Amino acid sequence: MSIRFAVIGCGGITRFHFPGLTQAGAQITWVADLDEDLARARAEEYGARHTTDYQEILASGEVDAVLVATSGPTHKPICLAAIEAGLHVICEKTLADNSDDALEITRAAQAKGIILYTSYMKRFIPAVQRAQALMPRLGKIFSTYIRSYQPWGSIWDPPPTSRPGNEESGFRQRYGGGILHMGGSHMLDLVGFFLGRPKRVYGKLHTPEWLDYEVLASALLETDNGVVHFEAAGHPLRRIGFLRDGWDEGFEINGTQGRLEFYSSTWDNVDSKACLLRHYDNESGDMTEYRYEPTSPFARADAFFVANMEQGVQGEQPITTGYDVDELIAHLHRSAETGEALEVDWRI
Ligand SMILES: NC(=O)c1ccc[n+]([C@@H]2O[C@H](COP(=O)([O-])OP(=O)(O)OC[C@H]3O[C@@H](n4cnc5c(N)ncnc54)[C@H](O)[C@@H]3O)[C@@H](O)[C@H]2O)c1
């Protein structure tokens, strides 16, 4: 029998998840959004019931799992309530907007035996999965460069009229923070995916005085697989990146026997623009290029999550995935404040 899902929050990102969940064979029985018109429209499209109050869904007994796709700061109460109701959870990234909340959600899921995924869908890009399969051919990994440069226009320029103090931004309300919560979180997730949990972090941030979120985050991360040079930025450069569209995100992993180079396409174009992977093999001297048809990693992620939920298993993606990223973001902020490198205090 197909698993019954509620989609909570029907904004921009769910244009990928509605088809993703249905293609995965899930039955969408409920949708919720504070905007009732939006909820109703989605409900009609997918033959579901709708509400503006997600608690109604949790009390209905008509769902087995929820996809939480609301704005970042609301993830915690919704995830905790769904877990308490005994429902499996897929939560959009970042899991929470601070590491204490992410820890609380993860511990609650563990205590209840709930399957919990944070939807870091870049793990599911075919070129990323091929890169993971090629990792054993790199020999000993000694250095990684990883970055997310997102084109944010004139963000580095002061606003036309200078304002006293920080401007309250919709960014924090929508995403929980600045560039680290945006593209940076995906790259921190890929660090864990490829190299394991970092042990030590040194970070530096730049927050323009007219904003309340960082636009640049740089870090050195020490792992068991060498040092990672990490950077995330919202930048004004229009034509950089391998597709020359201003999006410049990817990684380079160097080992004693080879190197992987990965370039991603814009997150909302991943189903129309292909990513690129190159593998250099030191023994043969060959550089192999892997190009794939554009495909939605959201749909691939949802297929993986739904299949595991049907079998009642967490599977290969650890329950701590979302917590790990939020803990790294917290350490990076603390390191930037103190100017010191920090041992990462993994609390779970
Ligand atoms: N994986 C990615 O690359 C990626 C990209 C963009 C956004 N996201 C994440 O997806 C999530 C949603 O982002 P978005 O761009 O779709 O935002 P959005 O603002 O377009 O949509 C959020 C929706 O949630 C609804 N909502 C808020 N609180 C609610 C509540 N208590 N109950 C019901 N509905 C509620 C809002 O009315 C809104 O329609 C965020 O966590 C964001 O970080 C991920």
Side-chain angles (χ1 to χ4, degrees), residues 291-340:
R291 288 179 185 267
Y292 295 86
E293 289 301 310
T295 176
S296 165
F298 292 94
R300 290 166 59 90
D302 289 339
F304 172 85
F305 301 150
V306 169
N308 283 342
M309 285 176 175
E310 280 172 355
Q311 291 172 43
V313 297
Q314 178 73 35
E316 279 172 32
Q317 181 169 321
I319 198 166
T320 51
T321 301
Y323 159 74
D324 282 5
V325 172
D326 289 349
E327 194 66 271
L328 283 177
I329 291 175
H331 278 74
L332 221 146
H333 272 281
R334 220 174 300 143
S335 169
E337 276 157 28
T338 60
E340 289 174 6

Coordinates of all heavy atoms in Angstrom, one line a residue, residues 291-340:
R291 N 28.9 13.6 -18.3 CA 27.8 14.6 -18.5 C 26.5 13.8 -18.4 O 26.5 12.7 -19.0 CB 27.9 15.3 -19.8 CG 29.0 16.4 -19.8 CD 29.2 17.1 -21.1 NE 30.3 18.0 -21.1 CZ 30.2 19.3 -20.8 NH1 29.1 19.8 -20.4 NH2 31.3 20.0 -20.8
Y292 N 25.5 14.3 -17.8 CA 24.3 13.6 -17.6 C 23.1 14.4 -18.2 O 23.2 15.7 -18.3 CB 24.0 13.4 -16.1 CG 25.0 12.4 -15.5 CD1 26.2 12.9 -15.0 CD2 24.7 11.1 -15.4 CE1 27.1 12.1 -14.4 CE2 25.7 10.2 -14.9 CZ 26.9 10.7 -14.4 OH 27.8 9.9 -13.8
E293 N 22.1 13.8 -18.5 CA 20.8 14.5 -18.9 C 20.4 15.3 -17.6 O 20.5 14.7 -16.5 CB 19.7 13.6 -19.3 CG 20.0 12.9 -20.7 CD 20.1 14.0 -21.8 OE1 19.2 14.8 -21.9 OE2 21.1 13.9 -22.6
P294 N 19.9 16.5 -17.8 CA 19.3 17.2 -16.6 C 18.2 16.3 -15.9 O 17.4 15.7 -16.6 CB 18.7 18.4 -17.1 CG 19.4 18.6 -18.5 CD 19.7 17.3 -19.0
T295 N 18.3 16.2 -14.6 CA 17.3 15.4 -13.9 C 17.1 16.0 -12.5 O 18.0 16.5 -12.0 CB 17.7 13.9 -13.8 OG1 16.8 13.2 -13.1 CG2 19.1 13.8 -13.2
S296 N 15.8 15.9 -12.0 CA 15.6 16.5 -10.7 C 16.1 15.7 -9.6 O 15.7 14.6 -9.3 CB 14.1 16.7 -10.5 OG 13.8 17.0 -9.2
P297 N 17.1 16.3 -8.8 CA 17.6 15.5 -7.7 C 16.6 15.5 -6.5 O 16.6 14.7 -5.7 CB 18.9 16.3 -7.3 CG 18.7 17.7 -7.8 CD 17.8 17.5 -9.1
F298 N 15.6 16.5 -6.6 CA 14.6 16.4 -5.6 C 13.7 15.2 -5.7 O 13.4 14.5 -4.8 CB 13.6 17.7 -5.7 CG 14.3 19.0 -5.4 CD1 14.8 19.7 -6.4 CD2 14.3 19.5 -4.1 CE1 15.4 21.0 -6.2 CE2 14.9 20.7 -3.8 CZ 15.4 21.5 -4.9
A299 N 13.4 14.8 -7.0 CA 12.6 13.6 -7.3 C 13.4 12.4 -6.9 O 12.9 11.4 -6.3 CB 12.2 13.6 -8.7
R300 N 14.7 12.4 -7.2 CA 15.6 11.2 -6.8 C 15.6 11.1 -5.3 O 15.6 10.0 -4.7 CB 17.0 11.4 -7.4 CG 16.9 11.2 -8.9 CD 18.2 11.7 -9.5 NE 19.4 11.0 -9.1 CZ 19.9 9.9 -9.6 NH1 19.3 9.4 -10.7 NH2 21.0 9.3 -9.1
A301 N 15.8 12.2 -4.6 CA 15.8 12.2 -3.1 C 14.5 11.7 -2.6 O 14.4 10.8 -1.7 CB 16.1 13.6 -2.6
D302 N 13.4 12.2 -3.1 CA 12.1 11.8 -2.6 C 11.8 10.3 -2.8 O 11.3 9.6 -2.0 CB 10.9 12.6 -3.3 CG 10.9 14.1 -2.7 OD1 11.5 14.3 -1.6 OD2 10.4 14.9 -3.5
A303 N 12.3 9.8 -4.0 CA 12.2 8.4 -4.3 C 12.9 7.5 -3.3 O 12.4 6.5 -2.8 CB 12.7 8.1 -5.7
F304 N 14.1 8.0 -2.9 CA 14.9 7.2 -1.9 C 14.2 7.3 -0.5 O 14.1 6.3 0.2 CB 16.3 7.9 -1.8 CG 17.2 7.4 -0.7 CD1 17.9 6.3 -0.8 CD2 17.2 8.1 0.5 CE1 18.7 5.8 0.2 CE2 18.0 7.7 1.5 CZ 18.8 6.5 1.4
F305 N 13.7 8.5 -0.1 CA 13.1 8.6 1.2 C 11.8 7.8 1.3 O 11.6 7.1 2.3 CB 12.7 10.1 1.4 CG 13.9 11.1 1.4 CD1 13.7 12.4 1.0 CD2 15.1 10.7 1.8 CE1 14.7 13.3 1.0 CE2 16.2 11.6 1.8 CZ 16.0 12.9 1.4
V306 N 11.0 7.9 0.2 CA 9.7 7.2 0.3 C 9.9 5.7 0.3 O 9.3 4.9 1.0 CB 8.8 7.6 -1.0 CG1 7.6 6.7 -1.1 CG2 8.4 9.0 -0.8
A307 N 10.9 5.2 -0.5 CA 11.1 3.7 -0.6 C 11.6 3.2 0.8 O 11.1 2.2 1.3 CB 12.2 3.4 -1.6
N308 N 12.4 4.0 1.5 CA 12.9 3.6 2.8 C 11.7 3.6 3.8 O 11.6 2.7 4.7 CB 14.0 4.4 3.3 CG 15.3 4.1 2.6 OD1 15.4 3.0 2.1 ND2 16.3 5.0 2.7
M309 N 10.9 4.7 3.7 CA 9.8 4.8 4.6 C 8.8 3.6 4.4 O 8.2 3.1 5.4 CB 9.0 6.1 4.4 CG 9.8 7.3 5.0 SD 9.0 8.8 4.7 CE 10.0 10.0 5.6
E310 N 8.6 3.2 3.2 CA 7.7 2.0 2.9 C 8.3 0.8 3.6 O 7.5 -0.1 4.1 CB 7.6 1.8 1.4 CG 6.6 2.7 0.8 CD 6.5 2.7 -0.7 OE1 7.4 2.0 -1.3 OE2 5.7 3.3 -1.3
Q311 N 9.6 0.7 3.7 CA 10.2 -0.5 4.3 C 10.4 -0.3 5.8 O 10.9 -1.2 6.5 CB 11.5 -0.8 3.7 CG 11.4 -1.3 2.3 CD 12.8 -1.4 1.6 OE1 13.7 -1.9 2.2 NE2 12.9 -1.0 0.4
G312 N 10.2 0.9 6.3 CA 10.4 1.2 7.7 C 11.8 1.3 8.1 O 12.2 1.1 9.3
V313 N 12.7 1.7 7.2 CA 14.1 1.8 7.5 C 14.7 3.2 7.2 O 14.2 3.9 6.3 CB 15.0 0.8 6.8 CG1 14.6 -0.6 7.2 CG2 14.9 1.0 5.3
Q314 N 15.6 3.6 8.0 CA 16.3 4.9 7.8 C 17.2 4.8 6.5 O 17.4 5.8 5.8 CB 17.1 5.3 9.0 CG 17.9 6.6 8.9 CD 17.0 7.9 9.0 OE1 16.0 8.0 9.7 NE2 17.4 8.9 8.2
G315 N 17.8 3.7 6.3 CA 18.6 3.5 5.2 C 20.0 4.2 5.3 O 20.4 4.6 6.4
E316 N 20.6 4.5 4.1 CA 22.0 4.9 4.1 C 22.1 6.4 4.5 O 23.2 6.8 4.8 CB 22.6 4.8 2.8 CG 23.1 3.3 2.5 CD 23.5 3.1 1.1 OE1 24.0 4.1 0.5 OE2 23.3 2.0 0.6
Q317 N 21.1 7.2 4.5 CA 21.2 8.6 4.9 C 21.0 8.7 6.4 O 19.9 8.5 6.9 CB 20.3 9.5 4.1 CG 20.5 11.0 4.5 CD 19.9 12.0 3.7 OE1 19.8 11.9 2.4 NE2 19.3 13.0 4.3
P318 N 22.0 9.1 7.1 CA 21.9 9.1 8.6 C 20.8 10.1 9.1 O 20.6 11.1 8.4 CB 23.3 9.5 9.1 CG 24.2 9.4 7.9 CD 23.4 9.5 6.7
I319 N 20.2 9.7 10.2 CA 19.2 10.6 10.8 C 19.8 12.0 11.2 O 19.1 13.0 11.3 CB 18.6 9.9 12.0 CG1 17.2 10.5 12.4 CG2 19.5 9.8 13.2 CD1 16.4 9.6 13.3
T320 N 21.1 12.0 11.4 CA 21.8 13.2 11.9 C 22.2 14.2 10.7 O 22.8 15.2 11.0 CB 23.1 12.8 12.6 OG1 23.9 11.9 11.7 CG2 22.9 12.1 13.9
T321 N 21.8 13.9 9.5 CA 22.3 14.7 8.4 C 22.0 16.2 8.6 O 22.9 17.0 8.4 CB 21.6 14.2 7.1 OG1 21.9 12.9 6.9 CG2 22.0 15.0 5.9
G322 N 20.7 16.5 9.0 CA 20.4 17.9 9.2 C 21.1 18.5 10.3 O 21.6 19.7 10.3
Y323 N 21.1 17.8 11.4 CA 21.8 18.3 12.6 C 23.3 18.6 12.3 O 23.8 19.6 12.8 CB 21.7 17.2 13.8 CG 22.8 17.4 14.8 CD1 22.7 18.5 15.7 CD2 23.9 16.5 14.9 CE1 23.8 18.7 16.7 CE2 24.9 16.7 15.8 CZ 24.8 17.8 16.7 OH 25.9 18.0 17.6
D324 N 24.0 17.7 11.6 CA 25.4 17.8 11.3 C 25.7 19.2 10.7 O 26.6 19.9 11.1 CB 25.9 16.7 10.4 CG 26.1 15.4 11.1 OD1 25.8 15.3 12.3 OD2 26.6 14.5 10.4
V325 N 24.8 19.5 9.7 CA 25.1 20.8 9.0 C 24.8 22.0 9.9 O 25.6 22.9 10.0 CB 24.2 20.9 7.7 CG1 24.2 22.3 7.1 CG2 24.5 19.9 6.7
D326 N 23.7 21.9 10.7 CA 23.4 23.0 11.6 C 24.5 23.2 12.7 O 24.8 24.3 13.1 CB 22.0 22.8 12.3 CG 20.9 23.0 11.3 OD1 21.2 23.5 10.2 OD2 19.8 22.7 11.6
E327 N 25.1 22.0 13.1 CA 26.2 22.1 14.1 C 27.4 22.8 13.5 O 28.1 23.6 14.2 CB 26.5 20.7 14.6 CG 27.3 20.6 15.9 CD 26.6 21.2 17.1 OE1 26.8 22.4 17.3 OE2 26.0 20.4 17.9
L328 N 27.7 22.4 12.3 CA 28.8 23.1 11.6 C 28.6 24.6 11.4 O 29.5 25.4 11.6 CB 29.1 22.4 10.2 CG 29.8 21.0 10.3 CD1 29.9 20.5 8.9 CD2 31.2 21.1 10.9
I329 N 27.4 24.9 11.0 CA 27.1 26.4 10.9 C 27.3 27.1 12.2 O 27.9 28.2 12.3 CB 25.7 26.6 10.3 CG1 25.6 26.1 8.9 CG2 25.3 28.1 10.4 CD1 24.2 26.1 8.3
A330 N 26.8 26.5 13.3 CA 27.0 27.1 14.6 C 28.5 27.2 15.0 O 28.9 28.3 15.5 CB 26.3 26.2 15.7
H331 N 29.3 26.2 14.7 CA 30.7 26.3 15.0 C 31.4 27.4 14.2 O 32.3 28.1 14.6 CB 31.4 24.9 14.8 CG 31.2 24.0 16.0 ND1 30.0 23.4 16.3 CD2 32.1 23.7 17.0 CE1 30.1 22.7 17.4 NE2 31.4 22.8 17.8
L332 N 31.0 27.4 12.9 CA 31.6 28.4 12.0 C 31.3 29.9 12.5 O 32.2 30.7 12.6 CB 31.0 28.2 10.6 CG 32.0 28.3 9.5 CD1 31.6 27.3 8.4 CD2 31.9 29.7 9.0
H333 N 30.0 30.1 13.0 CA 29.7 31.4 13.5 C 30.5 31.7 14.8 O 31.0 32.8 14.9 CB 28.2 31.4 13.9 CG 27.3 31.9 12.7 ND1 27.2 33.2 12.4 CD2 26.6 31.1 11.9 CE1 26.4 33.3 11.3 NE2 26.0 32.0 11.0
R334 N 30.6 30.7 15.7 CA 31.3 30.9 16.9 C 32.8 31.1 16.7 O 33.4 32.0 17.3 CB 31.2 29.6 17.8 CG 30.9 30.0 19.3 CD 30.6 28.8 20.1 NE 29.4 28.1 19.7 CZ 29.3 26.8 19.7 NH1 30.2 26.0 20.1 NH2 28.1 26.2 19.3
S335 N 33.4 30.4 15.7 CA 34.8 30.6 15.4 C 35.0 32.0 14.8 O 36.0 32.7 15.2 CB 35.2 29.5 14.4 OG 36.5 29.9 13.8
A336 N 34.1 32.4 14.0 CA 34.2 33.8 13.4 C 34.1 34.9 14.5 O 34.8 35.9 14.4 CB 33.1 34.0 12.3
E337 N 33.3 34.6 15.5 CA 33.1 35.6 16.6 C 34.4 35.7 17.5 O 34.8 36.7 17.9 CB 31.9 35.2 17.5 CG 30.6 35.7 16.9 CD 29.4 34.9 17.5 OE1 29.6 34.3 18.6 OE2 28.4 34.8 16.8
T338 N 35.0 34.5 17.7 CA 36.1 34.4 18.7 C 37.4 34.6 18.0 O 38.4 34.9 18.6 CB 36.1 33.1 19.4 OG1 36.2 32.0 18.5 CG2 34.8 32.9 20.3
G339 N 37.5 34.3 16.7 CA 38.7 34.4 15.9 C 39.6 33.1 16.2 O 40.7 33.1 15.8
E340 N 39.0 32.1 16.8 CA 39.8 30.9 17.1 C 39.2 29.7 16.3 O 38.1 29.6 16.0 CB 39.6 30.6 18.6 CG 40.4 31.6 19.5 CD 40.1 31.3 20.9 OE1 39.4 30.3 21.3 OE2 40.5 32.2 21.7

